[in-house]
Amino acid sequence: SQQGEEDPQALSIQEGENATMNCSYKTSINNLQWYRQNSGRGLVHLILIRSNEREKHSGRLRVTLDTSKKSSSLLITASRAADTASYFCATVGGSNYKLTFGKGTLLTVNP
Amino acid sequence: KAGVTQTPRYLIKTRGQQVTLSCSPISGHRSVSWYQQTPGQGLQFLFEYFSETQRNKGNFPGRFSGRQFSNSRSEMNVSTLELGDSALYLCASSSSGTGTGETQYFGPGTRLLVL
């Protein structure tokens, strides 16, 4: 079963624009992670935010977490064509040892 | 360090056959998790092994099994293949597992097609 739900399902922007993707989840979490996947390949970890954190930055990425609303957002600034990929949020909750993924947002950055 | 490797990268099988997929984690990592990715169901957790013990299991039938060796390499086996088993199978490794909040490092995946 999916824990996270990304919104929108697909996003198309021009190079240089910012891209914002949202993720909502249902149960309490220990941490939330964002991953990128290029065209059916393996996932690349982008950023991890813990439940006691509200915001994190990594290069052109900014992630926020609102545990009261059970939601997170990923902002990619000054997007590039190479950012074209699917982006997934994944949650870790309780004492389990699994990532529960959302269905992802397909981001297309047009040159 | 070398990344997570998975073999084979592509596989074609027919219904009723069985298949074994292999995953070699990053050196020093003791946790290996397996995920199935399909267009319909997305990414779903299969199981996680840590120090040769299965620590967590997803909601998959008993046809899906796995094991981990003393060198942390892991295999997963799917018996009596069904058309719906066609998917990208991903493994991920970490030092201690997702429950500790660690980053998971994913391999490139094995794409299985069942005819």
Side-chain angles (χ1 to χ4, degrees):
Chain A
S1 62
Q2 305 299 120
Q3 159 78 307
E5 292 288 336
E6 285 92 340
D7 170 54
Q9 291 186 356
L11 180 62
S12 181
I13 60 175
Q14 297 299 123
E15 257 190 333
E17 294 181 339
N18 295 341
T20 299
M21 288 159 268
N22 302 297
C23 168
S24 59
Y25 56 92
K26 297 173 184 173
T27 61
S28 63
I29 61 170
N30 290 337
N31 67 73
L32 184 145
Q33 304 176 31
W34 285 90
Y35 287 82
R36 183 186 75 224
Q37 185 178 38
N38 289 87
S39 191
R41 298 183 182 176
L43 279 78
V44 174
H45 179 266
L46 295 175
I47 199 164
L48 180 154
I49 186 165
R50 301 184 189 281
S51 59
N52 60 353
E53 297 175 313
R54 292 296 167 257
E55 188 171 312
K56 251 185 141 171
H57 297 257
S58 177
R60 294 183 296 113
L61 306 180
R62 173 178 169 253
V63 168
T64 62
L65 179 65
D66 186 335
T67 52
S68 66
K69 295 181 179 178
K70 291 186 169 58
S71 68
S72 173
S73 68
L74 170 67
L75 168 67
I76 304 174
T77 60
S79 62
R80 306 165 183 168
D83 295 328
T84 294
S86 291
Y87 291 82
F88 295 88
C89 69
T91 56
V92 177
S95 60
N96 66 56
Y97 294 92
K98 63 179 182 178
L99 289 168
T100 304
F101 284 89
K103 293 218 169 187
T105 292
L106 176 60
L107 172 66
T108 302
V109 182
N110 302 299
Chain B
K1 279 184 180 178
V4 177
T5 58
Q6 291 187 245
T7 56
R9 293 292 312 277
Y10 303 92
L11 207 48
I12 300 175
K13 292 285 187 178
T14 56
R15 278 182 298 175
Q17 287 187 311
Q18 75 164 17
V19 67
T20 298
L21 311 181
S22 180
C23 172
S24 292
I26 290 172
S27 178
H29 284 188
R30 296 163 66 189
S31 165
V32 174
S33 298
W34 288 89
Y35 295 83
Q36 181 197 63
Q37 185 177 28
T38 59
Q41 297 299 316
L43 279 152
Q44 294 191 292
F45 172 79
L46 281 156
F47 26 66
E48 191 234 6
Y49 287 88
F50 182 83
S51 292
E52 302 180 66
T53 301
Q54 188 181 85
R55 196 155 62 170
N56 203 358
K57 191 176 188 304
N59 297 322
F60 279 82
R63 300 185 297 107
F64 291 82
S65 62
R67 60 178 175 168
Q68 186 179 34
F69 302 95
S70 58
N71 62 358
S72 293
R73 189 177 69 86
S74 177
E75 289 181 348
M76 67 163 281
N77 184 275
V78 188
S79 62
T80 319
L81 284 165
E82 300 177 359
L83 295 179
D85 297 333
S86 294
L88 180 65
Y89 290 88
L90 296 161
C91 83
S93 78
S94 68
S95 294
S96 305
T98 59
T100 60
E102 278 195 328
T103 297
Q104 297 288 292
Y105 295 89
F106 281 80
T110 293
R111 187 165 295 282
L112 171 66
L113 177 61
V114 182
L115 301 175

